Amino acid sequence: MPGKTFAGGAGTVCLALVSSIALAQAPAAHITIHADEPVSQVTPTLYGLMTEEINYSYEGGLYAEMVRNRTFRADWSGILYWYLVENGNAAAKMEIDKGTGPSDALKTSLKLEVEKASAGNEAGVLNVGYWGMALRPDTEYKGSFYAKAASGDIGPVTVSLVSDQSGKAAATATASGVGTEWKQYQFTLRTGAGVATSAANHLTMTVAHPGTLWVQQVSLFPPTYHHRPNGFRIDLMEKMAAMHPQFLRFPGGNYLEGNHIKERFDWKKTIGPLVDRPGHPSPWGYWSTDGMGLLEFLEWCEDLKMNPVLAVYAGYSLEQEHVNPGADLEPYVEDALDEIEYAVGGTDTKWGAERAKDGHAEPFKLTYVEVGNEEWFDRSGSYPARYAQFEKAIKARYPDLKLIATAPVGDAKPDVVDEHYYVRAAQNFQDAGHYDAAGRVGDGGQGWDNGHFEKVHRNGPKIFVGEWATREGFPTPNMGAALGDAAWMTGLERNSDLVVMASYAPLLVNVNPGGMQWETDLIGYDAVKSYGSPAYYAQVMFGSYLGDHTLSSKAEGAGPKFFYSITGSAANKRLYVKLVNGESVAQPVDIEVSGAKLAATAKLVTLSAHDTQATNTIDHPDVVAPVESALHNVTSKVHHVMPALSIEVIEFEEP
């Protein structure tokens, strides 16, 4: 990230190459900047985050739960990710009991029948976690489970974290007094100083007496970001924080809709105690426990100081199921109103009081509500009428909220429209000026083109680029993708009076075999480690150096793969020049600044590589990373040579 120099990074090598007079160069580009001529305001919410349950982004990813299948779902092969333990001469069997569970949401449980067990010959079950369980030295892990026994003589339940290789316990705790009624038992496991950092560990739960034990919702958490119970992985939250995101679009795209209506993100089933959350299938082929529910999303915004962009289910699911507008849709409209009230209502409202009961009395700030997701896939043609029904109800109760449409809506005029782009780098190079041609107020344009997105105008709805990415690289983007992304972002910044928000997608991917359903993804991780791709670092650079207004500027002599953006910050007295060189040769740049006096030294942040295929991996996370240096003897005219295949930010300061 900016401010750090990564030893051995490709950027360091490329900066050294720039000094070589033998390096091939493109013709010089000349940029003229009029620092005293602002053009338009830069929206303060330009860069943000979009996530959904894909690539094990939540389960096995950001959501820090270590136990996989904590509610004991099974298929033909048995209880998934759970296995029987029979130490020594112990004898036991396990099965799903569909007749008993601790709540109406969790009506089944794991039934463990222990025929023979004793001290040193324990019987029980083990869980393998999400491709292992990450343990670190001197670390505390908080756990819990629900249990009951057939009689009171089952004895204590011993919970251990065990090394896969040595079979030795790294930490152990016991839960005593298991009775004949369902009850939650909590425990703490602490590793010692000699425990090696590794994912090759599993969790065991054993007893040393014969008897029958029922278990449900076994949970284990490492330390979490801001120490929140039921919280998030620290390393992933820190990586997102470095991007300086201004908003979070949630609960995501397809995850909002579900494959079927009954599999949508039904928010009322995602709040309150975990034992009251039944969970539901993700559209991407695995189960979501809904441990990350509506309140957790809102607290995620709070922790990273982001604005929530709340997407409400609008009556369409992915298998071409839809709800007819009118009376059939009304319950879903009311559900959306309740959801908004849960977020922003005072404690004197029904759902605001429910939020306070769940532990957050203070209302959240909400500006944007998105109605549905990618509704252009709905072949019924019902979205315009469905959108209008939602708009009427939401605006009547919350007139200050801004509504986002996700498909053309006929005669309606939403506040914002959501556009998605997944392309290759070559397309982003060609389309970096996509919004440059949008008509400006007073230029004779006709404005919003009857609900169609093709003819964008600045006096029509604003634009939310809710999902976009240069899709090159596996499982995370390579340098070529980062260059395409950066070229696209220069266009977003130039037009940030029109484009009010933009978010890369997908954000996260578990890089273990079987962990990815979609390539290319910004941040990769396994149970222990995480890393940022070259495209991630491009996001960090663009989000870290952004002014509050664009400035009058002109570029001449530049090649077809040279892109730039100029923004200024009046409050910080900074001028941010972002440059992208997509060519395989160095790019000389002459920058001439008028209308401002510049300090003699400017900060330079460079991301570069020798080849477009250069990338970072879980084992080599810093091959391509930003390098910070300085430009000296700065005057109103600056000559600079960009490395080949590079993204740079120059931060000029007024003395």
Side-chain angles (χ1 to χ4, degrees), residues 250 264-271 294-295 298 310-313 329-346 349-356 358 363-364 366 369 390 393-395 397-398 401:
F250 67 88
R264 70 192 185 279
F265 184 78
D266 192 350
W267 72 271
K268 287 176 181 173
K269 296 179 180 179
T270 75
I271 60 174
L294 178 58
L295 181 58
L298 290 166
L310 175 63
V312 298
Y313 180 73
L329 190 64
E330 194 58 33
Y332 298 90
V333 175
E334 288 300 318
D335 197 58
L337 293 172
D338 292 345
E339 188 173 12
I340 295 168
E341 184 175 278
Y342 185 91
V344 305
T349 65
K350 176 182 177 180
W351 290 103
E354 195 68 28
R355 183 197 63 246
D358 293 339
F364 294 91
L366 184 64
V369 172
F390 275 90
I394 294 173
K395 289 285 191 179
R397 190 173 300 182
Y398 301 100
L401 287 179

Side-chain angles (χ1 to χ4, degrees), residues 447-497:
W448 178 236
D449 185 36
N450 195 30
H452 296 283
F453 293 177
E454 289 81 2
K455 297 181 180 179
V456 178
H457 197 281
R458 278 177 163 78
N459 64 1
K462 300 295 185 181
I463 302 297
F464 174 26
V465 186
E467 296 181 30
W468 70 271
T470 304
R471 296 193 65 200
E472 295 185 19
F474 175 95
T476 52
N478 54 33
M479 187 63 194
L483 291 164
D485 288 349
W488 175 251
M489 286 189 286
T490 62
L492 298 182
E493 291 191 1
R494 283 195 306 275
N495 296 282
S496 54
D497 59 324

Side-chain angles (χ1 to χ4, degrees), residues 401-559:
L401 287 179
K402 297 184 183 300
L403 298 191
I404 304 170
T406 72
V409 288
D411 293 334
K413 185 177 179 180
D415 299 296
V416 183
V417 295
D418 186 354
E419 300 187 342
H420 296 177
Y421 302 94
Y422 292 105
V423 301
R424 296 293 182 92
Q427 292 167 273
N428 264 339
F429 291 155
Q430 294 169 4
D431 203 33
H434 182 85
Y435 294 108
D436 290 346
R440 295 185 180 276
V441 176
D443 69 358
Q446 297 303 307
W448 178 236
D449 185 36
N450 195 30
H452 296 283
F453 293 177
E454 289 81 2
K455 297 181 180 179
V456 178
H457 197 281
R458 278 177 163 78
N459 64 1
K462 300 295 185 181
I463 302 297
F464 174 26
V465 186
E467 296 181 30
W468 70 271
T470 304
R471 296 193 65 200
E472 295 185 19
F474 175 95
T476 52
N478 54 33
M479 187 63 194
L483 291 164
D485 288 349
W488 175 251
M489 286 189 286
T490 62
L492 298 182
E493 291 191 1
R494 283 195 306 275
N495 296 282
S496 54
D497 59 324
L498 172 64
V499 180
V500 294
M501 294 180 292
S503 47
Y504 186 105
L507 180 67
L508 300 167
V509 60
N510 193 312
V511 300
N512 282 290
M516 182 178 68
Q517 296 85 48
W518 175 283
E519 57 182 79
T520 305
D521 312 292
L522 201 64
I523 298 170
Y525 52 87
D526 60 16
V528 176
K529 299 177 290 185
S530 60
Y531 71 97
S533 64
Y536 163 79
Y537 286 117
Q539 294 275 329
V540 170
M541 291 167 66
F542 271 69
S544 299
Y545 301 96
L546 183 65
D548 51 33
H549 60 278
T550 63
L551 294 169
S552 175
S553 63
K554 182 173 65 173
E556 297 176 301

